[in-house]
């Protein structure tokens, strides 16, 4: 199975900060990567599809980039509602797999 | 707007079978765009894809569950189901159903999730 390694596993940031989260795949997954945001007690929400496409209703401060095996989620200016856990997911091959998550906390 | 809702027992005995159902509303389970998916999340941990089913009944399973898992679809009820046999405490998790179709093989939307505890 393809392994996805996210870094960091957690970070503390302030409102207005630029935040970047990395997702590295154990092999080339081309552009088959999505990002999800999960808040406590809620299901994950699709944030970014196909590496860089914004999900429905997702603010433009979120962006995704990368290809091959290295991918990045960027929040350009962190807002209070962005404090959550973020997961990457590959759909290049079965079994679909997720990264371990990055928890974004308030500094 | 597609909506999904999980249902099933909140408590399952060890070694028994865990049965869950996902009811789809706002769209047809026979829509050829969609795969129907189960994903779980143990308390305080990350997400794990369990398996996917197409309306025709064809399935893809995570090898981690292969020998214990059955995912099926009931088109007459607009539902799909999961059965996980021989459960242990390690199967305690929030179980989510989801669909793919908005974006190829990416999960949107999701159900709210249901917590299943395996304990005697």
């Amino acid at each position: 199975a393809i392994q996805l390694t996210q870094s960091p596993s957690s970070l503390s940031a302030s409102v207005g900060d630029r935040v970047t989260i990395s997702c590295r795949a154990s092999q080339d997954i081309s552009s088959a990567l999505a990002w999800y945001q999960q808040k406590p007690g809620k299901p994950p929400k699709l944030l970014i599809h196909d590496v860089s496409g914004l999900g429905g209703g997702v603010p433009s401060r979120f962006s995704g980039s990368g290809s091959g095996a290295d991918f990045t989620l960027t929040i350009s200016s962190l807002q209070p509602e962005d404090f959550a856990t973020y997961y990457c997911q590959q759909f290049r091959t079965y079994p679909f797999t997720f990264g371990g998550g990055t928890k974004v906390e308030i500094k | 707007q597609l909506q999904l809702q999980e249902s099933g027992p909140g408590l399952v005995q060890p070694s028994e079978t865990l049965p869950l159902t996902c009811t789809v509303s706002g769209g047809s389970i026979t829509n050829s765009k969609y795969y129907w998916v189960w994903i779980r999340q143990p308390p305080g941990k990350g997400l794990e894809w369990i398996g996917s089913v197409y309306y025709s009944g064809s399935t893809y399973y995570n090898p981690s569950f292969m020998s214990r898992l059955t995912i099926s679809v009931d088109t007459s009820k607009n539902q799909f189901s999961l059965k996980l046999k021989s459960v242990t405490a390690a199967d305690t998790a929030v179980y989510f159903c989801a669909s793919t179709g908005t974006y190829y093989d990416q999960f949107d939307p999701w159900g709210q999730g249901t917590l299943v505890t395996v304990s005697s």
Side-chain angles (χ1 to χ4, degrees):
Chain A
I2 296 173
Q3 295 182 15
L4 297 179
T5 302
Q6 286 184 234
S7 60
S9 56
S10 66
L11 64 90
S12 295
S14 300
V15 172
D17 283 354
R18 181 181 181 88
V19 169
T20 60
I21 298 169
S22 171
C23 178
R24 177 163 290 179
S26 58
Q27 64 188 73
D28 188 333
I29 59 171
S30 185
S31 297
L33 190 97
W35 291 94
Y36 299 85
Q37 176 193 66
Q38 186 179 32
K39 297 181 179 179
K42 297 293 187 181
K45 172 187 174 182
L46 180 66
L47 207 59
I48 300 286
H49 67 87
D50 300 289
V51 175
S52 59
L54 281 184
V58 175
S60 58
R61 63 181 179 273
F62 290 94
S63 63
S65 62
S67 65
D70 287 303
F71 302 88
T72 300
L73 173 70
T74 300
I75 310 172
S76 60
S77 178
L78 197 65
Q79 298 301 301
E81 60 268 30
D82 301 337
F83 292 96
T85 301
Y86 295 85
Y87 294 94
C88 56
Q89 175 237 332
Q90 68 81 22
F91 53 97
R92 179 67 179 88
T93 61
Y94 288 108
F96 297 148
T97 49
F98 292 89
T102 296
K103 187 173 184 178
V104 177
E105 298 176 303
I106 302 172
K107 182 182 283 184
Chain B
Q1 180 179 347
L2 201 63
Q3 292 186 314
L4 294 84
Q5 179 66 59
E6 305 88 351
S7 59
L11 181 66
V12 179
Q13 302 280 329
S15 79
E16 298 293 308
T17 296
L18 186 167
L20 291 173
T21 297
C22 183
T23 300
V24 178
S25 59
S28 174
I29 204 166
T30 60
N31 189 321
S32 59
K33 282 176 50 178
Y34 296 103
Y35 270 86
W36 306 99
V37 183
W38 288 101
I39 294 160
R40 76 178 186 180
Q41 185 172 38
K45 297 189 177 180
L47 299 162
E48 183 175 32
W49 173 76
I50 300 171
S52 301
V53 64
Y54 196 53
Y55 77 94
S56 63
S58 63
T59 53
Y60 294 90
Y61 292 164
N62 189 324
S64 298
F65 301 95
M66 193 77 81
S67 61
R68 302 193 292 139
L69 179 63
T70 302
I71 298 177
S72 59
V73 63
D74 187 335
T75 57
S76 67
K77 296 181 179 179
N78 229 37
Q79 295 176 334
F80 63 104
S81 299
L82 170 150
K83 290 185 179 179
L84 188 63
K85 300 187 296 185
S86 306
V87 296
T88 69
D91 294 308
T92 293
V94 176
Y95 286 76
F96 296 100
C97 59
S99 67
T100 71
T102 310
Y103 305 106
Y104 179 78
D105 281 343
Q106 294 151 95
F107 309 124
D108 177 57
W110 296 59
Q112 287 300 304
T114 186
L115 174 63
V116 179
T117 302
V118 179
S119 175
S120 56

